[in-house]
Amino acid sequence: MSIGSIFKGLVATALLSSGAMAAENAQYKIVTASKSGTYIQIGRDLAKFIAEPAGIDLEVMESKGSAENVQRMRFEPGVKLALVQSDVYQAFLDEAKAGNAEAGNIIRPLRLILPLYDEEIYFVARADSPLNAIHEIKDKKIAVGALGSGTALTSRTLYQLMFGQPISAANAQYMSNEDALIKLTVDKSIDVAVIVAGQPAKLFADMKPEARNYIKILKLDEAAPESARAKKTYFPATIRADNYANWLTADVPTLTVKAYLVTYEYGLQSTVGYLGRFADSLCANFDKLQAQGHPKWKQVRLAMPALGQGWRYYGPMEKRLRACMGNQGGAETAAAAAPRPARAKACTEQEVVLGLCRP
């Protein structure tokens, strides 16, 4: 066999190998929240309707929520996408601006892909509780969400806004949504459980009519000065009875927080390429999300509004998405594995909630 024939054979083999590799799907992960929440259903929709057509096998991962998601987006191998609440993202930016080096190391390379929808905030009390409005929770024992969850940050931020002081360590109870409802109704060791989830939330939608004998949702009183202070950061909304027809008999006014789809400032060409394909697929299949996905997708718009200071879109995906809207590795691995700086000072409670510090 001539050298030329051998060379041609090697080239053909290399091309076939390259083609086989190109045909393989990328293996990515998205971090969401608990199995009873809305985020995990949104993640599953993205995996089915968007990632799969883009040649991405997207593993949908449970988590404690937004604060943990920011950490895992930054440091966990394979995590390329995350769902994050707007107030949690802002809290990391605020910590970084205040001089927290670890917060800056975590948040500065993160990038937004798209604003999604508003998540309703449920303030749940026992059915026989004298509490009826959100602004009445001052000095009560409150399940604020699990450490590392967006709910915990939201609970603390709202309390601070409404009452001008942080919730006391004695009254703040950190636990999952499911444990909170047990503590509320069975142990009766807490007075209120705060739960953040886009409606219809599986946790509440699965409840039977008897639930109204055990729990109720506190209302937002628009006339209360505490409500006015809360609305400086959060927005009024309505929990609709028809989403929980088994046990909720009337609409309940409440507050919301925005959810975002987030990624990292990736530079490795293969990752940039796959995320670009994800953006193209999001444009091409957005109608499927709205028609066949979680009802919250009907509230999402393919739009990229102006962002506040410190917030940035991911350039390669932004370019693809803006074009669509108009018509209708090595370095990254090292960055993702960047060590966390050591700290010498005591933890603040917000740093603990955000996972920036462990007492």
Side-chain angles (χ1 to χ4, degrees), residues 16-321:
L16 286 171
S17 175
S18 174
M21 290 179 65
E24 292 179 2
N25 284 1
Q27 306 295 314
Y28 290 172
K29 300 175 184 177
I30 181 172
V31 282
T32 60
S34 72
K35 61 185 178 182
S36 63
T38 304
Y39 272 8
I40 197 163
Q41 297 175 71
I42 295 298
R44 288 168 181 160
D45 290 340
L46 288 169
K48 178 179 180 180
F49 298 114
I50 307 303
E52 187 175 323
I56 299 169
D57 291 333
L58 186 62
E59 183 179 358
V60 181
M61 309 285 288
E62 291 184 36
S63 77
K64 294 176 182 177
S66 292
E68 181 182 285
N69 290 353
V70 169
Q71 298 268 357
R72 292 175 68 178
M73 176 74 252
R74 181 66 176 85
F75 295 108
E76 185 174 322
V79 174
K80 296 292 195 292
L81 302 168
L83 294 166
V84 179
Q85 289 171 206
S86 57
D87 55 352
V88 171
Y89 200 97
Q90 186 62 52
F92 273 95
L93 289 173
D94 291 345
E95 286 285 336
K97 187 176 180 180
N100 187 311
E102 185 177 3
N105 181 42
I106 290 170
I107 202 66
R108 288 193 184 105
L110 266 56
R111 298 290 181 264
L112 303 185
I113 298 173
L114 197 71
L116 297 179
Y117 54 85
D118 291 328
E119 290 192 285
E120 287 75 25
I121 306 171
Y122 303 74
F123 293 80
V124 187
R126 282 186 295 279
D128 61 359
S129 170
L131 303 175
N132 288 299
I134 295 170
H135 69 273
E136 297 171 350
I137 68 172
K138 186 178 182 183
D139 297 329
K140 304 301 180 185
K141 291 190 178 297
I142 304 171
V144 297
L147 279 175
S149 70
T151 298
L153 189 281
T154 296
S155 302
R156 294 181 63 256
T157 303
L158 265 170
Y159 195 97
Q160 177 79 46
L161 286 169
M162 286 191 292
F163 307 117
Q165 63 188 56
I167 184 172
S168 70
N171 285 337
Q173 307 291 314
Y174 295 96
M175 63 190 74
S176 70
N177 295 338
E178 294 80 4
D179 287 345
L181 292 180
I182 291 171
K183 293 288 185 183
L184 181 71
T185 59
V186 180
D187 299 354
K188 299 185 178 180
S189 55
I190 60 171
D191 303 304
V192 178
V194 182
I195 295 172
V196 180
Q199 62 180 325
K202 189 176 187 299
L203 179 67
F204 295 114
D206 289 347
M207 288 184 176
K208 298 179 179 179
E210 304 88 78
R212 67 174 65 101
N213 298 323
Y214 299 98
I215 62 171
K216 63 183 178 182
I217 301 175
L218 303 183
K219 301 177 180 179
L220 177 71
D221 181 352
E222 294 277 2
E226 295 89 348
S227 300
R229 291 194 286 269
K231 287 190 290 184
K232 292 178 180 178
T233 299
Y234 300 92
F235 300 91
T238 301
I239 298 169
R240 298 188 303 278
D242 58 6
N243 280 323
Y244 309 111
N246 279 350
W247 64 279
L248 202 59
T249 58
D251 291 350
V252 180
T254 189
L255 295 161
T256 63
V257 61
K258 179 72 76 177
Y260 283 87
L261 182 60
V262 175
T263 189
Y264 180 87
E265 184 64 69
Y266 291 111
L268 192 65
Q269 197 57 44
S270 61
T271 306
V272 173
Y274 272 111
L275 290 178
R277 290 167 65 178
F278 185 96
D280 291 340
S281 181
L282 183 58
C283 285
N285 298 296
F286 188 70
D287 57 338
K288 291 183 181 179
L289 283 177
Q290 294 196 310
Q292 302 176 48
H294 188 278
K296 271 293 181 183
W297 283 111
K298 292 182 172 62
Q299 297 180 16
V300 181
R301 294 172 54 245
L302 270 180
M304 306 184 80
L307 300 173
Q309 186 176 10
W311 296 62
R312 293 175 60 188
Y313 290 113
Y314 179 49
M317 297 181 82
E318 179 184 11
K319 183 178 179 180
R320 302 281 189 101
L321 289 170

